[in-house]
Amino acid sequence: MKIALIGAGAIGCLLATRLSDAGASVTLLARGIPLDTIRRDGISLVTPRNRVLRSFPTVTDDPLEPGPQDVVFLCVKAYALRGVIDSLHPLLGPDTIVVPVVNGIPWWYPYSQPAPLADQPLTSVDPGSVLWRTVAPERIVGVATYVAVENHGPGRIRHINDQRFVFGDIAGRNRPQVKELVDLFGRAGFAARATDRIRDEIWIKLWGNLAFNPLSVLTSATLGTLCNDPGTRGVGRTMMLEAQAVAERLGVQFSITADERIAMAATVGDFKTSMLQDYEAGNRLELEAIIGSVIELAERVSVDVPTLRSVLALTDLRARTRTYSPGVAA
């Protein structure tokens, strides 16, 4: 299977290493310092069992070089997706599928859904409907990812915990490519499965992110602390229940309770959420995809989400007013 990964962050490097080991022909598209570093030194991955794996995938900044692929994974932050569209198109053949590995509500979510979604793009995650108009939804396979990975610099990552992937066609079609992905990820050592209700899985993943990612920025606490402290656990649970009310209005079925989802997150332990890692690195936060999208959906279905609105406002202000000492994030 020919696979291109757009984005050389923690997830892109993890997949490049593990899928290459599973026998896939992998090309990693990167730019700038990550490109130069991975070309020179390869990727260094520390596994949950503290084994160090090295890989030297094909890496390029030229999307014309690899040619059409079987699968293209978009491994960039949700807000950066529009910036990689030009890199995507040269990789597409007649049967290429596109798998956006993104946090939050993805831009494709309203596709083939009844009112009030009804193929109406979400401005919070796709301003101007750029992604909606340029990436054919027939190509897209959705995925919910449960992977805790720390980025320790270009091409240097640490896989902390969890390695589950749930794949599903976004229109519920029975597509052979979904099974092929599940088989490939299984050979790579991941726990992978398919579903015909990918939106349910998106919400279960989002459930933890929308609560504890922003709370981690507000408190600088790790995931385990946030889940086990009575105060932050209570705030997070309230946020999750507000989101659940929105999702259920959209036909989503939750297979677990909020408390079970919090317990699942707590097993990750003292891990800095991806949003806290971005905050400390001075990067933009994925607030629009993780919380803003849920608030936009809440407005469509007329559900009040006061806690989500308050936490979004607080986290956004903290991000916009952060200051730094030399080499240290405030």
Side-chain angles (χ1 to χ4, degrees), residues 11 14-15 18 48 100-104 142-150 159-167 185 189-193 195 197-210 213 223 240 252-257 260-268 271 274:
I11 292 295
L14 174 68
L15 294 183
R18 298 280 291 272
V101 187
V102 293
N103 286 323
V143 62
T145 64
Y146 299 86
V147 184
V149 187
E150 289 181 345
H159 182 188
I160 302 296
N161 201 342
D162 224 338
Q163 47 188 359
R164 289 173 294 141
F165 292 79
V166 185
F167 296 96
F185 273 64
F190 295 116
R193 63 180 177 87
T195 180
R197 295 186 60 89
I198 188 61
R199 287 170 181 79
D200 293 359
E201 298 294 337
I202 294 292
W203 276 95
I204 291 174
K205 166 67 187 303
L206 172 62
W207 227 4
N209 283 352
L210 72 87
N213 277 25
L223 188 56
M240 294 169 70
V252 171
Q253 299 173 10
F254 286 83
S255 58
I256 61 175
T257 67
E260 289 170 336
R261 180 65 180 90
I262 293 171
M264 182 191 305
T267 62
V268 176
F271 168 72
S274 60

Side-chain angles (χ1 to χ4, degrees), residues 88-246:
L88 172 63
H89 289 297
L91 302 170
L92 301 179
D95 300 315
T96 305
I97 61 172
V98 177
V99 185
V101 187
V102 293
N103 286 323
I105 297 292
W107 88 87
W108 52 258
Y109 193 92
Y111 175 68
S112 193
Q113 295 296 289
L117 295 176
D119 290 334
Q120 297 300 308
L122 299 169
T123 58
S124 53
V125 294
D126 188 16
S129 304
V130 174
L131 297 168
W132 188 270
R133 289 185 284 104
T134 56
V135 184
E138 293 81 9
R139 293 187 180 274
I140 297 173
V141 169
V143 62
T145 64
Y146 299 86
V147 184
V149 187
E150 289 181 345
N151 193 337
H152 291 187
R156 297 173 58 242
I157 58 173
R158 184 179 186 89
H159 182 188
I160 302 296
N161 201 342
D162 224 338
Q163 47 188 359
R164 289 173 294 141
F165 292 79
V166 185
F167 296 96
D169 181 80
I170 65 172
R173 295 161 296 197
N174 184 14
R175 302 178 69 176
Q177 293 98 326
V178 173
K179 182 180 185 305
E180 291 168 4
L181 282 174
V182 170
D183 290 345
L184 172 63
F185 273 64
R187 293 197 302 273
F190 295 116
R193 63 180 177 87
T195 180
D196 58 1
R197 295 186 60 89
I198 188 61
R199 287 170 181 79
D200 293 359
E201 298 294 337
I202 294 292
W203 276 95
I204 291 174
K205 166 67 187 303
L206 172 62
W207 227 4
N209 283 352
L210 72 87
F212 296 113
N213 277 25
L215 290 178
S216 72
V217 172
L218 294 175
T219 63
S220 297
T222 61
L223 188 56
T225 298
L226 291 168
C227 291
N228 291 307
D229 176 82
T232 52
R233 177 188 175 95
V235 175
R237 187 175 187 275
T238 298
M239 296 170 70
M240 294 169 70
L241 294 179
E242 289 181 358
Q244 182 176 2
V246 175

Side-chain angles (χ1 to χ4, degrees), residues 313-329:
L314 292 170
T315 311
D316 179 60
L317 179 61
R318 182 163 174 79
R320 288 187 286 111
T321 58
R322 56 189 155 183
T323 56
Y324 303 93
S325 299
V328 180

Side-chain angles (χ1 to χ4, degrees), residues 240-300:
M240 294 169 70
L241 294 179
E242 289 181 358
Q244 182 176 2
V246 175
E248 289 178 340
R249 289 281 186 93
L250 297 170
V252 171
Q253 299 173 10
F254 286 83
S255 58
I256 61 175
T257 67
D259 289 325
E260 289 170 336
R261 180 65 180 90
I262 293 171
M264 182 191 305
T267 62
V268 176
D270 290 328
F271 168 72
K272 291 184 178 181
T273 70
S274 60
M275 188 173 285
L276 180 56
Q277 292 182 54
D278 283 338
Y279 176 80
E280 292 181 342
N283 298 330
R284 180 176 170 180
L285 308 186
E286 292 183 287
L287 293 173
E288 298 91 346
I290 291 176
I291 306 184
S293 59
V294 179
I295 293 173
E296 182 177 354
L297 291 171
E299 292 169 351
R300 291 200 189 185

